[in-house]
Amino acid sequence: MMAISTKTTDHSRKFKDFGDFLSTPGYALLPFKFHRISEEKEVLVNEIGDFLVTPSGTAARIVAREVNPENPSDLELYADLIANFFISPSPLPDLIEVLATRYRTKKSFLDYFTSLHIFVISLRCEHTCHYCQVSRVTTDKNRFDMSQFHIDEGIAMMMKSPNPRVTMEFQGGEALLAFENIVYAVEKTKMEADKHGKHVTYVVCTNLALLSDEMVQYFYANNILVSTSLDGPAFIHNKNRHKANANSHQLVIDGIHKCREILGEENVSALVTTTTLSLEYPEEIVDEYVRLGFHNIFLRPISPYGFATRNTNKNKYETARFLDFYKKALARIIQYNIEGYFIREDYASIILKKILTPFPVGYVDLQSPAGLITNVIVFNYDGSIYASDEARMLAEMNDQTFKLGTLGENTYEEIFYGGKAAALSEVMVNESLPGCSECAFQSYCGADPVFNHTTQGDLIGHRPTSSFCQRNMEIIRYLIETMDRNKEIEKIFRSWITDRS
């Protein structure tokens, strides 16, 4: 029998002794991670999202205790590392309470629990968008409208949210096909909000093709916001968002103008969905938004749900192609800002707020814990309750993994604190997910178990092959590298995260 040596060496040990991290002279290490952003530079990021861009190899020098404040070339770096909680003169920083307060601030989106309540008021739609994520049905099928019973039950559940400020968002299909149900829901909610002391924000998501003067006046009287879809110039929009015997692009433009005239420019927003066709025209899409007077644009990739999965020639593309599109569009947006026209890209703005400020963001996809349940809940037209809008889209593909219950059958406690919610909570925190736990961009990103399940068949997901991970890591890296390279662009980016509408 061969004898097995029990002798260990420095080369075979996986971890150093605990004492090595406490007794090393010079300074103590605080938790931080790093990522190379270019051949010459790397970024250091600590637990609260503070970052420093440094020459490549700096992280190794810090860990080896080679940063010496008595060396004039290291003095500024040493001061920055101390001030930004990367290292400490003692194992326990003197300002540990400041660090804790800032961490709590980053996670304060959890303080009041669920805010966004989506009511799928109808699954009917008169458009035939080839990327439709909810598998809409034709306009004559009234059984796909939400019943008043389910509307009432959804409102009652919304009123039980501990959040004093909630949003009631009407989606479809095409929500305006069930306009009378929107009116019913708003009037009912106004009465219930008075009883429960809630402040309610109302949003209608619509393609605007069916918009009437009566509808706009009702929106105005009730402070209802309008969100629509605009995929760019007519030759792109009409291809993406087809409406039989009609010019979908002209209808949405007319609707935007009508809504702005009555509701005000700040109360009308639009979203881009990027198809294969869109990828060829990044500058033209941005130009169209500027032509129409928009001051923000949200560049988002196609989602892998509903009809979008059936039209692969029009909707499926590599992440690298989207990133190329995104960077070209972002360059166009930046150029407009340099020339004096303020317009921001919303996805970049969300990430930049996480990078440059101590404050949380309300965007579900970039939260940890993930925003499903804790930030958003969806009441489907048939009374089914889902953990997020994407979970509802997945259900239309006959996958009920993220169904939490049914309106009128399950209590608030069963939905929000039941077994399904508890199970999901275990995969909603990127600080504990493999591949995320050691990522330098962890505090700027989020967890998305619905996307992981849909694309990889696993709630946790596999980061090296995840398009969610690939896309976010590159956008975050690119934004940091761009700010470091060009201070004028950094000023532009900082202007995007102010309260300017």
Side-chain angles (χ1 to χ4, degrees), residues 287-300:
D287 291 348
E288 179 72 354
Y289 270 71
V290 172
R291 183 182 75 83
L292 293 169
F294 281 100
H295 292 284
N296 66 298
I297 182 171
F298 200 138
L299 301 171
R300 56 180 185 165

Side-chain angles (χ1 to χ4, degrees), residues 122 124 137-145:
S122 176
R124 293 183 291 142
V137 295
T138 52
T139 58
D140 59 342
K141 297 182 179 179
N142 292 328
R143 62 194 178 92
F144 291 97
D145 288 359

